[in-house]
Amino acid sequence: VRQLQQPRKGKPAAAPKDPNIKQLESSLADTLGASVQIRAGRGGKGKLEISYNSLDELDGILAHIR
């Protein structure tokens, strides 16, 4: 019971994503045919992460970008 009453330590829950960011991720994922994550930071900075499962999939993604 004591453990349940104490606040948990660790990372706080992430804030919900902006609907515009979610829509952009979805649009990019459809275009590239791969999972896309946009991680917005402070001051307008951030990261764009494109996941792939094989070198063939990476080649396809690069073909869409070029």
Side-chain angles (χ1 to χ4, degrees):
V1 173
R2 189 175 303 161
Q3 289 177 344
L4 293 174
Q5 291 177 340
Q6 293 177 351
R8 290 185 165 242
K9 295 179 182 177
K11 292 184 179 181
K17 269 195 182 169
D18 183 306
N20 294 322
I21 298 292
K22 289 172 95 174
Q23 195 278 330
L24 183 57
E25 284 178 342
S26 178
S27 177
L28 285 170
D30 289 344
T31 301
L32 299 175
S35 176
V36 175
Q37 290 277 323
I38 297 174
R39 297 195 177 125
R42 295 181 184 190
K45 296 180 180 180
K47 292 184 180 183
L48 173 64
E49 184 177 296
I50 304 169
S51 300
Y52 60 90
N53 296 314
S54 67
L55 292 177
D56 289 334
E57 191 174 348
L58 176 59
D59 287 338
I61 293 167
L62 293 174
H64 280 91
I65 292 174
R66 293 180 184 155

